[in-house]
Amino acid sequence: MDVGVLVLLGLIMCVGLVGVIFPVLPGLLLVAGAGLAWAIMADGATPWVVFAVMMAALVAGTIAKYVLPGKSLKQAGAPTSTLVLGGIGAVAGFFLIPVVGLLVGAVLGVYLGELRRLSDNKAAWRSTWITAKAVGAGILIELAAGMLAVLIWLVAVLAGVG
């Protein structure tokens, strides 16, 4: 396969990893799409096996992203309504405040939900902090899955697969 195509696919995967951290871009979807394009363009069955292993890493990371932080949120007692308010705040913040609005809106939405539920400023901030840490853990899990998938692809390319 042409080196230029491999570099382009690698760059798309890197943009996907950035999209995990800054969720303006469809992070893992870009990584998966670039891996699929590589498997389609490459010769033989081995690239498809590599792509399947990449997908397994991405799916496992996506599942873990929701399951593991969700457990800590349940233990903290944050109800679904608080998380919904955080999501609404994230969407509103994304459109109202450039660059950091998604994060600011999500935190503000969670805080307002917890303040409504708990009626105590300190308790609401404590719960908001726990929620923010859980979401941050989810992002780190997703980033690790994406990096693992890219590493699998890179090892295959350097080994001459495809």
Side-chain angles (χ1 to χ4, degrees):
M1 184 175 296
D2 184 44
V3 172
V5 172
L6 291 173
V7 168
L8 178 63
L9 291 172
L11 287 174
I12 291 170
M13 289 183 191
C14 288
V15 168
L17 293 177
V18 170
V20 169
I21 300 167
F22 301 103
V24 178
L25 303 167
L28 296 186
L29 192 59
L30 285 173
V31 173
L36 176 62
W38 172 75
I40 290 170
M41 291 185 283
D43 292 329
T46 307
W48 287 103
V49 171
V50 171
F51 176 69
V53 173
M54 287 175 66
M55 287 306 298
L58 294 176
V59 168
T62 300
I63 291 169
K65 167 190 170 182
Y66 292 106
V67 171
L68 298 177
K71 280 180 136 181
S72 65
L73 290 176
K74 293 282 185 205
Q75 290 171 347
T80 303
S81 62
T82 294
L83 300 179
V84 169
L85 283 173
I88 292 169
V91 170
F94 176 78
F95 290 107
L96 295 174
I97 306 170
V99 184
V100 296
L102 191 103
L103 178 63
V104 170
V107 170
L108 184 61
V110 168
Y111 170 72
L112 291 174
E114 288 300 272
L115 185 61
R116 182 191 58 151
R117 179 175 75 94
L118 300 170
S119 300
D120 177 23
N121 187 39
K122 279 190 170 188
W125 273 119
R126 191 170 31 258
S127 184
T128 300
W129 179 245
I130 290 168
T131 303
K133 287 193 307 188
V135 170
I139 291 170
L140 289 176
I141 291 167
E142 186 178 13
L143 181 62
M147 291 174 73
L148 178 61
V150 172
L151 181 63
I152 291 165
W153 173 78
L154 184 60
V155 167
V157 167
L158 293 176
V161 173

